[in-house]
Amino acid sequence: MKRIHGMAWAAPLLALSLHAGAAETYPERPVKVIVPFEPGGFTDVVARVVAQQLGSALGQSFIVENKPGAGSTIGTDFVAKAAPDGYTLEIVSTNHVTSHRLYKNLDYDPIKSFTPISKLADSPYVLFVNTKLPVQSVQELIALSKSNGAHLRYASSGNGSTQHLMGALFLAKSGAKLEHVPYRGSGGAMKDLAAGFVETSFAAVSNGLPHIKSGKIRALGVTSTRRNAQLPDVPSLAEAGVPDYDAVVWLALLGPAGMPKDIVSRLNEAVRTGLSRPEAREALAGAGVDVAVSTPEELAQYMAQENAMWGDVIRGLEIRID
């Protein structure tokens, strides 16, 4: 019996030893970085910068693989079901904590099904208006929207999209009266805003800059509490009199639930090293985002807060996507 008890104790000790050894040598083969969106988009561009920096820091290939579809839920479901060994990771956006409230019958939980590794970047949206609209400030827009006979619209990339939710949060906090007009992508929404077919839209800085330069649209307010470096004269919405408005599009690195803590720590350290490099910061600034790294614990807390905030917005809209 003593021999059996000894073997029983030896098995978990051996497993712990092998586990520790694997973490010390991680990664020993290429790592997949899933992007649940089409190539060339906002998240994809950031993902390729991050993957390059992780590969440089850890001496192994980090390969971006796009798995788009169903509002990012196809790629995310794939990662949720992957082995938690550190060889399948995902870069997610804000909609990671909204999709489960919009889509029925998802097989994963945005919090419980994933291991937080690090926040990566933030990007504010901007409240844009067509220059034909006779307003120069956020308060003038709010007042006009409430006036008799006014019928102002805001364009988004679709029902339940981040653009839609940014606008809904604005309406809830400002009392403005704007009708939502969903498009099948941000490109069409911005094109019609510039042409004057809709009056307003919440969109990324990079999407709006060309039309600002052409004189077709005007920036009234930034959704983050900080002003944007590319639009230094544009106030935040909070500065402009919309109480407590603070919302950004954020990107984060996650893995499947149950990843070993030492592998998570190794990846977090590599993110910090890689994104501290000037070339990485410049590349991300060119994509319209600011580097914003975190600890895994800070990311977990942040995702929980975002989950709660956007949940309140979505419940107010009473929308579902089949």
Side-chain angles (χ1 to χ4, degrees), residues 265-286:
S265 296
R266 190 166 170 80
L267 283 165
N268 184 272
E269 183 179 350
V271 167
R272 291 177 178 277
T273 299
L275 296 189
S276 69
R277 292 172 178 152
E279 64 270 22
R281 289 181 172 272
E282 289 172 12
L284 293 179

Side-chain angles (χ1 to χ4, degrees), residues 44-56:
D44 182 68
V45 170
V46 175
R48 293 180 189 279
V49 173
V50 172
Q52 182 181 20
Q53 294 301 325
L54 285 173
S56 177

Side-chain angles (χ1 to χ4, degrees), residues 255-303:
M259 283 180 58
K261 289 185 178 181
D262 37 12
I263 289 181
V264 172
S265 296
R266 190 166 170 80
L267 283 165
N268 184 272
E269 183 179 350
V271 167
R272 291 177 178 277
T273 299
L275 296 189
S276 69
R277 292 172 178 152
E279 64 270 22
R281 289 181 172 272
E282 289 172 12
L284 293 179
V289 302
D290 298 322
V291 172
V293 298
S294 71
T295 66
E297 294 77 16
E298 288 168 343
L299 175 57
Q301 183 179 11
Y302 182 76
M303 288 173 59

Side-chain angles (χ1 to χ4, degrees), residues 1-317:
M1 291 294 292
K2 291 182 179 178
R3 186 178 175 185
I4 293 173
H5 284 300
M7 290 177 65
W9 281 105
L13 288 173
L14 176 60
L16 286 171
S17 176
L18 291 173
H19 175 77
E24 288 174 5
T25 58
Y26 170 86
E28 298 180 288
R29 64 180 190 271
V31 178
K32 284 184 181 180
V33 181
I34 303 300
V35 173
F37 300 101
E38 296 281 353
F42 166 75
T43 306
D44 182 68
V45 170
V46 175
R48 293 180 189 279
V49 173
V50 172
Q52 182 181 20
Q53 294 301 325
L54 285 173
S56 177
L58 294 174
Q60 185 57 264
S61 296
F62 281 71
I63 302 169
V64 173
E65 184 175 322
N66 297 88
K67 286 187 176 294
S72 81
T73 62
I74 291 176
T76 301
D77 182 71
F78 175 83
V79 175
K81 295 173 179 175
D85 55 7
Y87 289 94
T88 303
L89 308 175
E90 182 182 16
I91 292 183
V92 301
S93 184
T94 305
N95 73 331
H96 180 74
V97 295
T98 62
S99 294
H100 69 295
R101 300 180 186 277
L102 300 169
Y103 289 85
K104 297 178 181 178
N105 303 319
L106 293 183
D107 291 334
Y108 64 84
D109 181 279
I111 307 297
K112 297 177 183 178
S113 301
F114 298 89
T115 298
I117 297 170
S118 179
K119 194 177 176 188
L120 301 172
D122 280 335
S123 179
Y125 269 19
V126 179
L127 171 55
F128 293 111
V129 297
N130 185 277
T131 50
K132 294 177 184 177
L133 200 66
V135 298
Q136 300 291 328
S137 70
V138 172
Q139 291 303 318
E140 288 181 4
L141 173 65
I142 295 170
L144 179 62
S145 76
K146 294 178 179 179
S147 62
N148 291 333
H151 180 212
L152 305 185
R153 297 153 296 180
Y154 77 96
S156 84
S157 55
N159 281 320
S161 67
T162 303
Q163 286 180 287
H164 181 192
L165 299 182
M166 290 277 191
L169 184 63
F170 173 72
L171 300 187
K173 289 187 174 293
S174 70
K177 306 296 182 183
L178 303 174
E179 179 188 353
H180 175 231
V181 181
Y183 285 73
R184 291 190 175 182
S186 58
M190 182 55 68
K191 181 179 178 181
D192 273 12
L193 174 65
F197 295 121
V198 290
E199 292 77 26
T200 72
S201 184
F202 285 80
V205 178
S206 56
N207 288 353
L209 282 177
H211 300 293
I212 290 177
K213 293 176 181 177
S214 70
K216 294 180 179 179
I217 67 173
R218 179 182 301 119
L220 295 187
V222 180
T223 62
S224 60
T225 54
R226 291 186 304 166
R227 295 193 180 197
N228 183 264
Q230 294 175 289
L231 297 170
D233 296 327
V234 178
S236 69
L237 290 175
E239 282 182 275
V242 182
D244 303 320
Y245 197 107
D246 181 17
V248 296
V249 178
W250 50 266
L251 299 177
L253 182 65
L254 308 178
M259 283 180 58
K261 289 185 178 181
D262 37 12
I263 289 181
V264 172
S265 296
R266 190 166 170 80
L267 283 165
N268 184 272
E269 183 179 350
V271 167
R272 291 177 178 277
T273 299
L275 296 189
S276 69
R277 292 172 178 152
E279 64 270 22
R281 289 181 172 272
E282 289 172 12
L284 293 179
V289 302
D290 298 322
V291 172
V293 298
S294 71
T295 66
E297 294 77 16
E298 288 168 343
L299 175 57
Q301 183 179 11
Y302 182 76
M303 288 173 59
Q305 292 169 349
E306 288 283 289
N307 185 37
M309 182 185 79
W310 291 119
D312 289 341
V313 175
I314 292 168
R315 277 191 292 274
L317 293 174

